[in-house]
Amino acid sequence: MNAPDAAVVELLGPDGRVALMQRVTGWPVRIGRSPACDIVLDDPHLAAEHAELQFTPEGRVQLKLLDSRNGGSVAGKRLASGAAAVLPASGAFQLAGCPLRLRTSADVLPPEQALIVHPTRHWALLPLLLLSMLFFQWVDHWSQSDPDTRWISYAAPLLGPLAFVLGWAGLWSLASKLFQHRFPFATHLRRALVVLVVLQVLDWLLPAVAYALSWPRLMALDGLTLPLASAALVAWHARLVWPGAQRTLNIGIAAMLLLGLGLQVAGRQEQQHVFGPSYLAALPPPALRMARAHPPEDLIESLKPLKAELARQARKDNDGFDPDDAGGE
């Protein structure tokens, strides 16, 4: 069988993408670091003439290792100097630490993939999200500060979260650069800001709705919003960085979320509210109140079941109490 009309040897990167491609001009194909080789690779772990690809009479391509220290492998089988093996149908082989692949004109190419062009986001969305985040941070600090607070005291509450979210987006962009060979900083920043602004809105909205409708149990969501939003944000970022491992990543993120929620529940077993605050530290304006008002007697009646619980807690706190020690003080 004659040799194929055309062939290339590809050097694969850590992500499986082609990092270098060299055309085969004739058979046999010698591979190494020497300029005299047909395929020249700049790797100090390769010999000057490390290996040779030979086209056998049966129409198969065979890898033969030449005089080298680090050898190679085919289909997971280690080959020492002087050994030979037929390449698999994929054409994959390895020389020292270099993963390589032979492709010929006789190989069937996969179908052409459709080019996915992501729609251009509105130019004002990112600045709007940044301003929204800074506005919420400013209002939170303003509501907790004295009226005569100097403007310089707002620098840390505003610039701290801004620096954090910019650094967060930058780290995810570097991960995208490593695995996808692009730096989508604006996309990662937009996703982080969307989740952050939603958290800030919920931080205002949940207490207001719970107070207005007299739904105290609604505040149970307060302790769930941050872990759920964090898990969703990490999964959203990871989908952009490692789209091929989306299912595995989602399973890992969900497992970490369940573990974190389980630890949170275990740490708050003796509290009335496993998630969320036990009470509202600040009440919204009375004008927001929509629920029907209850007389004071209803409150007194609702507190009666707490008497036994408070007595039990008092006995527990007084375990080991010695009256003689108290009298001697």
Side-chain angles (χ1 to χ4, degrees):
M1 183 175 179
N2 297 327
D5 297 333
V8 292
V9 173
E10 300 170 337
L11 174 65
L12 306 180
D15 57 354
R17 293 174 176 264
V18 178
L20 177 67
M21 179 187 298
Q22 295 192 34
R23 183 178 294 276
V24 173
T25 58
W27 297 89
V29 182
R30 188 152 293 197
I31 306 173
R33 284 188 296 120
S34 171
C37 292
D38 303 293
I39 304 296
V40 181
L41 299 175
D42 183 19
D43 190 318
H45 302 99
L46 295 177
E49 296 183 350
H50 197 98
E52 191 174 78
L53 292 175
Q54 304 169 344
F55 201 79
T56 65
E58 294 79 15
R60 307 290 299 276
V61 178
Q62 176 181 267
L63 174 69
K64 181 179 180 181
L65 273 295
L66 304 178
D67 187 16
S68 65
R69 174 180 296 180
N70 295 312
S73 62
V74 174
K77 181 180 179 181
R78 187 70 183 170
L79 300 177
S81 178
V86 175
L87 295 186
S90 63
F93 63 99
Q94 183 160 329
L95 298 180
C98 297
L100 301 163
R101 180 172 61 197
L102 174 70
R103 287 199 303 115
T104 71
S105 56
D107 296 334
V108 178
L109 290 174
E112 179 186 5
Q113 297 182 3
L115 177 62
I116 300 177
V117 180
H118 296 282
T120 302
R121 304 291 181 179
H122 195 278
W123 66 270
L125 180 59
L126 194 57
L128 182 62
L129 289 171
L130 279 170
L131 290 175
S132 300
M133 183 195 73
L134 294 176
F135 170 75
F136 283 115
Q137 294 296 129
W138 175 80
V139 171
D140 285 341
H141 187 68
W142 172 80
S143 63
Q144 300 172 16
S145 303
D146 296 331
D148 57 347
T149 301
R150 299 177 59 189
W151 65 269
I152 194 65
S153 65
Y154 288 86
L158 295 182
L159 297 181
L162 178 61
F164 173 79
V165 74
L166 291 176
W168 173 270
L171 290 176
W172 280 102
S173 300
L174 288 175
S176 296
K177 182 67 175 178
L178 179 63
F179 291 96
Q180 298 295 324
H181 305 285
R182 54 198 181 100
F183 194 79
F185 178 79
T187 303
H188 283 295
L189 179 60
R190 182 169 53 249
R191 295 186 177 189
L193 287 173
V194 166
V195 174
L196 185 58
V197 170
V198 169
L199 282 175
Q200 291 173 322
V201 171
L202 288 177
D203 190 46
W204 282 16
L205 191 61
L206 285 178
V209 174
Y211 169 78
L213 302 178
S214 191
W215 291 348
R217 293 301 181 185
L218 186 64
M219 291 305 296
L221 298 177
D222 184 69
L224 295 174
T225 52
L226 181 59
L228 289 175
S230 300
L233 178 59
V234 171
W236 203 9
H237 284 305
R239 181 180 180 182
L240 195 63
V241 177
W242 302 288
Q246 184 177 346
R247 181 178 180 182
T248 303
L249 288 170
N250 288 342
I251 293 175
I253 294 170
M256 294 299 296
L257 175 63
L258 292 176
L259 177 61
L261 293 177
L263 293 176
Q264 185 176 351
V265 171
R268 304 183 65 174
Q269 286 181 345
E270 296 186 359
Q271 299 189 20
Q272 274 189 307
H273 301 282
V274 176
F275 298 106
S278 301
Y279 58 89
L280 293 180
L283 293 178
L288 296 179
R289 184 73 174 176
M290 300 174 59
R292 181 178 61 87
H294 294 272
E297 292 77 12
D298 290 354
L299 174 62
I300 297 174
E301 190 67 25
S302 66
L303 294 177
K304 286 183 178 180
L306 293 178
K307 183 178 180 180
E309 177 62 25
L310 292 175
R312 185 190 68 81
Q313 189 65 38
R315 288 193 301 269
K316 179 180 177 181
D317 294 340
N318 290 329
D319 283 347
F321 176 73
D322 191 344
D324 294 336
D325 293 340
E329 292 182 355

